[in-house]
Amino acid sequence: MSKLGLHISSGNRRGFGDYLRKCAAAGSPVPVIFSVGQSVWADLQQVSPETVLIFRTQNDVHQNEIGDGPGSIYSGDPVQTARDWMALMMPVWALNQAHYYAPLNEQDPALLSGFTWLNAFSIECMTIAEANHFKLALYAFSAGNPKDVKHPAVGEPFTRDQAWLELVPSLQMAKANGHILLLHEYGLDFVTLKASAPYLATRYRRAYRLLAPYNADPPLVISEASAGVGYAGIAPKAWIDDAAWYDSELVKDRAVIGCCLYQLGGAENFFSILPQLAEYATKAPTPEPLSGEAPVIPGPDRTAGGTPVPDDDSVTPPPVPEPGPTPPTPPTPEPVPTPEPVPPPLETVPTPEPVPTPPTPEPVPTPPPPSSGPLDINVTIARVRKDPEHPSQVIVTFQIEATGGSGEYQYSCEGAALSGPTRDRPSARSGAIVESYKVTSSDGQTVEKKFHFASRDFPPAT
């Protein structure tokens, strides 16, 4: 049974139902689907009820954009921030049934204290979720994160092992109470996932070998996975072959539920190759995990060519603590009440007949603006400036450059409309930014692309 699942967002999903049916009929149901704002629970229950569904929202219940994390992340009180953030998301979750819900996306702290903050924040989020009958999918760190920060712009250096150890209490609670962990793995500059192993692909193994002695190794989903930064721009056969190699690695590890190939929808849409992907997935073998009872296979990690990769930057973990008395259970927050439906009126007051008005003359249609050729876009970093309110962060200004089309454009990023061709985004001083930008020309053309910016691409902050 394949461990290749799907990441879905808004866009063309033609063939999605057939893909689910083919895999289920072959005895290899799709293991997991990660949905960004798409309601697919009913489809799965009808066609593939064994599939695990994870849901994330980028908007509150009033359709206001809330983004990938709270604005006070790392700086506000983590407990109060968790309560405010969960209050925004839970009404949306209540309308979109799923097995798990992701409260954060790609929040990668630049300081070790940021991981301490995330740990406290996540414990409170889980406490609130459990009181309201939700299970969470935690963290969703971006590809290559957590990482070793040897030369921070501010603060002390730290290793990825130290970062994971800060998260041990929340991951212990996650495993004990039925929540899961999310990570992202891409090929990025290596192009293929296979070439990137174990620096990016299968990077989770080192973390799980560190966490398992603490009983802090919950089930894992790689909620975004692909060669490059998504399907776009990669030959179909090469992309599927790379995904098949990745699948052959994931099935070795008991902790891995599956991965979500990026993506069905958006600029990286692979709906056109779903038949070829189904051909692979329906014939994939179902081996017993080579890890046995352990969450992942033992080290050392190796490149795809078999070269061992030493753990140069590991830290010696402290001894596993003896089990102690169970801490008192924190007070359970009151569940969020579900609003009662408003009944229809018992009687309908007849509407008076409208007074006829003279017919309005038909407007003269405005001819569409002329096109100067095919529309294309590029996104660059215009500047980086220091964030005065958050010394550990910077503000990155992106410039969207459009060519072709009519010359009259509308811009958006990750589904949110922009007022013009620039966008400011807070970011850690280290870590990659991966975002989708879309430009629509008034002549009807639309182009959407995903861009990846490594921290080394950032100009010095001013």
Side-chain angles (χ1 to χ4, degrees):
M1 176 177 167
S2 171
K3 288 194 176 185
L4 298 182
L6 306 174
H7 183 288
I8 65 173
S9 62
S10 61
N12 190 341
R13 293 204 301 272
R14 188 169 69 247
F16 174 59
D18 287 342
Y19 182 80
L20 294 175
R21 277 187 286 271
K22 285 179 182 177
C23 292
S28 185
V30 176
V32 59
I33 286 176
F34 188 94
S35 169
V36 180
Q38 310 300 300
S39 183
V40 297
W41 176 266
D43 295 334
L44 293 181
Q45 293 307 297
Q46 181 179 2
V47 178
S48 187
E50 293 176 291
T51 299
V52 172
L53 178 61
I54 307 166
F55 181 85
R56 180 168 79 89
T57 183
Q58 294 174 303
N59 302 90
D60 66 16
V61 75
H62 303 295
Q63 293 304 306
N64 299 312
E65 184 184 5
I66 59 174
D68 293 343
S72 57
I73 197 163
Y74 313 136
S75 60
D77 175 72
V79 172
Q80 187 58 52
T81 301
R83 292 171 180 171
D84 295 341
W85 187 240
M86 292 290 285
L88 276 177
M89 291 184 297
M90 286 193 298
V92 182
W93 294 354
L95 301 173
N96 293 273
Q97 193 166 356
H99 296 97
Y100 302 98
Y101 297 86
L104 295 175
N105 184 57
E106 295 193 339
Q107 300 297 323
D108 302 313
L111 299 173
L112 189 61
S113 61
F115 290 93
T116 310
W117 191 100
L118 281 178
N119 180 73
F121 170 87
S122 297
I123 288 173
E124 183 65 14
C125 283
M126 285 186 284
T127 301
I128 297 169
E130 291 165 14
N132 289 276
H133 312 293
F134 295 114
K135 297 294 184 185
L136 298 189
L138 297 180
Y139 295 124
F141 293 123
S142 62
N145 285 288
K147 60 181 174 294
D148 302 311
V149 179
K150 298 180 180 179
H151 305 289
V154 295
E156 296 297 320
F158 64 93
T159 69
R160 52 178 150 163
D161 291 355
Q162 288 174 308
W164 280 116
L165 291 173
E166 291 299 309
L167 302 177
V168 161
S170 60
L171 294 174
Q172 288 173 329
M173 180 177 178
K175 182 177 181 180
N177 294 4
H179 308 278
I180 64 173
L181 175 65
L182 303 181
L183 294 172
H184 297 171
E185 294 194 342
Y186 286 97
L188 299 182
D189 294 340
F190 290 93
V191 182
T192 63
L193 287 162
K194 185 175 182 179
S196 78
Y199 308 103
L200 296 175
T202 69
R203 184 183 179 90
Y204 63 85
R205 284 174 175 160
R206 172 171 157 170
Y208 267 67
R209 288 194 289 267
L210 174 71
L211 296 169
Y214 299 95
N215 205 26
D217 52 331
L220 171 67
V221 170
I222 308 297
S223 51
E224 293 184 19
S226 176
V229 292
Y231 171 66
I234 300 173
K237 185 179 186 306
W239 190 82
I240 291 176
D241 288 348
D242 192 49
W245 171 85
Y246 191 51
D247 190 26
S248 73
E249 291 297 315
L250 299 182
V251 297
K252 296 176 183 178
D253 298 318
R254 184 174 298 278
V256 180
I257 296 172
C259 75
C260 301
L261 296 174
Y262 198 87
Q263 72 171 329
L264 199 57
E268 309 81 4
N269 200 334
F270 56 72
F271 76 90
S272 62
I273 63 168
L274 281 174
Q276 296 97 303
L277 194 59
E279 181 72 14
Y280 164 78
T282 54
K283 297 177 181 177
T286 309
E288 281 295 312
L290 293 181
S291 64
E293 294 304 313
V296 297
I297 60 175
D301 291 319
R302 297 176 182 271
T303 66
T307 304
V309 177
D311 289 349
D312 291 334
D313 301 306
S314 62
V315 296
T316 303
V320 179
E322 292 295 324
T326 303
T329 303
T332 300
E334 289 295 321
V336 177
T338 303
E340 292 293 328
V342 180
L346 297 177
E347 285 190 25
T348 303
V349 179
T351 304
E353 290 294 323
V355 178
T357 57
T360 305
E362 289 292 326
V364 178
T366 303
S371 174
S372 62
L375 179 63
D376 195 13
I377 64 170
N378 188 38
V379 177
T380 58
I381 297 177
R383 67 176 292 204
V384 176
R385 63 188 189 275
K386 299 173 183 177
D387 188 339
E389 297 182 1
H390 305 98
S392 64
Q393 298 188 16
V394 293
I395 298 173
V396 183
T397 300
F398 293 99
Q399 179 72 42
I400 310 168
E401 301 164 354
T403 57
S406 67
E408 299 175 3
Y409 307 122
Q410 292 180 325
Y411 307 89
S412 63
C413 176
E414 296 291 338
L418 304 176
S419 59
T422 60
R423 175 174 185 263
D424 286 344
R425 183 197 194 278
S427 173
R429 291 176 181 267
S430 59
I433 296 176
V434 182
E435 293 184 318
S436 291
Y437 286 84
K438 182 168 73 173
V439 173
T440 301
S441 171
S442 58
D443 64 359
Q445 298 186 68
T446 297
V447 172
E448 185 173 6
K449 292 183 179 180
K450 190 164 191 171
F451 293 88
H452 167 253
F453 301 94
S455 57
R456 62 177 176 272
D457 298 328
F458 293 4
T462 57

